[in-house]
Amino acid sequence: MTAERIDMTEELDSPLEKFDIFKDSSKPVRLSLHLIVKRNLPPEAEKWSQEEIVNALNEITHLRLDRENIYEIDSLELLGDKVKNVYLQQNSIQKIQNLECLKYIKFLSLAGNCIEVVENLLGLNHLRVLDLSDNQIQILHIEELPNSLIILNLENNPCTEKTGYSQYREKVIQHLPELLQLDGEDVRRPEDDEDEETIESDDEKPASFISLQSDDSDDIPSLTSAMLMRSQDRLESCQRRHKRHTAELEEFRLKHKIIIKK
């Protein structure tokens, strides 16, 4: 029996209805199946059967829906578990919603939208990278962020531009134990400072200890030298840690084929 063909211009009593590929994209639109098909399947998909379209949707790994003037997220139910990267940046989205069906996504970009509240993300337990930069988030509800995140970008939101940025940063880092990068800057935790400290013998007193031991001005050159050496050691330690974090991020991006666009 010949598979039923879908006429993309007809209205159908099915989840695949209203595939109008010539719809005016200048007006804000609700995310729909026709837009998903238009952006993520080849042009000949308009002649495919319903079964062929559903099978193709289940094979999508990178869902690209950026710059489509979308104002509401919807119609993602027919996508399969293979979706790992979702690109919804530079739209007109006002609310984070209807993403729970994409439970295995690892990368989500919602940058450049009109989002005011962080919500409906806790079901995304595999999410590693979240870009919410350039939105309108006034107050950040940290408890709405998945603990799985390693990269989070909230730059150019009111919640990061107000006074108390250091407190905001500290709270986010405390809440997200795996976070490696926040707002484009590497995360530094108290334990990182502890790693830099070395067990020093009596013959290798820290500069602060030396200053308490001697009042002789002749010791000033040696004291200065000790301080400079310790400062240099700390600098080199910071550089090593930065390189290690950068390598970890790069390894993760390559492994999961993540491309972060600014």
Side-chain angles (χ1 to χ4, degrees):
M1 180 176 180
T2 304
E4 179 185 356
R5 297 289 173 179
I6 293 180
D7 184 348
M8 305 286 278
T9 63
E10 292 182 359
E11 290 189 1
L12 302 176
D13 295 327
S14 75
L16 300 175
E17 63 184 0
K18 299 182 180 179
F19 281 72
D20 181 8
I21 63 174
F22 299 106
K23 187 172 182 178
D24 183 3
S25 60
S26 63
K27 299 178 181 178
V29 298
R30 174 184 293 178
L31 177 54
S32 60
L33 202 55
H34 89 272
L35 186 53
I36 295 174
V37 170
K38 176 184 174 182
R39 282 294 305 273
N40 295 273
L41 297 184
E44 56 268 25
E46 64 179 69
K47 299 179 181 179
W48 290 358
S49 68
Q50 178 175 335
E51 182 180 0
E52 289 172 324
I53 289 178
V54 172
N55 289 339
L57 290 174
N58 274 274
E59 294 299 317
I60 293 176
T61 59
H62 292 64
L63 184 63
R64 303 186 184 279
L65 293 161
D66 54 290
R67 297 172 178 82
E68 292 289 350
N69 209 12
I70 297 167
Y71 74 88
E72 183 176 344
I73 303 172
D74 202 358
S75 304
L76 299 173
E77 295 81 5
L78 286 181
L79 294 167
D81 291 341
K82 291 185 178 181
V83 177
K84 299 296 188 295
N85 301 271
V86 179
Y87 303 86
L88 283 163
Q89 69 269 25
Q90 304 304 322
N91 281 294
S92 303
I93 297 169
Q94 300 176 10
K95 183 176 182 178
I96 303 173
Q97 61 183 344
N98 299 323
L99 291 168
E100 58 275 3
C101 57
L102 304 178
K103 54 186 178 180
Y104 293 109
I105 63 172
K106 297 182 177 181
F107 176 97
L108 174 61
S109 177
L110 287 163
N113 279 284
C114 306
I115 297 168
E116 297 182 358
V117 178
V118 177
E119 58 187 337
N120 301 320
L121 292 172
L122 292 180
L124 306 179
N125 296 321
H126 298 271
L127 190 61
R128 304 294 273 171
V129 180
L130 175 62
D131 189 353
L132 284 167
S133 59
D134 298 295
N135 274 281
Q136 300 171 16
I137 302 170
Q138 295 281 345
I139 299 176
L140 177 63
H141 299 289
I142 300 176
E143 66 276 6
E144 292 291 333
L145 295 169
N147 289 335
S148 56
L149 290 174
I150 66 169
I151 298 177
L152 173 63
N153 193 348
L154 286 161
E155 288 183 291
N156 299 323
N157 277 283
C159 66
T160 66
E161 296 171 353
K162 295 178 180 179
T163 56
Y165 175 79
S166 59
Q167 289 87 346
Y168 139 81
R169 187 175 178 87
E170 180 180 352
K171 289 180 179 179
V172 172
I173 292 173
Q174 288 178 348
H175 181 74
L176 301 174
E178 298 186 37
L179 197 65
L180 296 178
Q181 187 182 96
L182 175 61
D183 299 341
E185 296 182 11
D186 288 347
V187 167
R188 184 183 181 90
R189 301 179 187 274
E191 53 266 33
D192 293 331
D193 294 330
E194 294 175 4
D195 290 341
E196 292 177 11
E197 295 180 0
T198 58
I199 300 176
E200 300 175 352
S201 67
D202 290 339
D203 294 331
E204 295 177 333
K205 307 294 186 182
S208 57
F209 187 84
I210 295 174
S211 65
L212 295 174
Q213 293 285 323
S214 175
D215 293 327
D216 192 340
S217 59
D218 291 340
D219 287 333
I220 291 178
S222 60
L223 173 59
T224 303
S225 177
M227 293 178 67
L228 289 174
M229 289 177 64
R230 183 170 176 81
S231 177
Q232 180 65 26
D233 289 342
R234 289 180 62 86
L235 177 60
E236 291 176 356
S237 177
C238 288
Q239 290 175 338
R240 288 194 298 270
R241 188 174 63 257
H242 175 73
K243 289 180 180 179
R244 183 174 70 251
H245 285 176
T246 301
E248 289 172 352
L249 289 172
E250 185 64 19
E251 180 181 358
F252 179 83
R253 291 172 185 172
L254 291 174
K255 180 178 179 180
H256 299 285
K257 299 181 180 179
I258 294 174
I259 299 176
I260 300 178
K261 298 181 178 179
K262 293 186 176 180

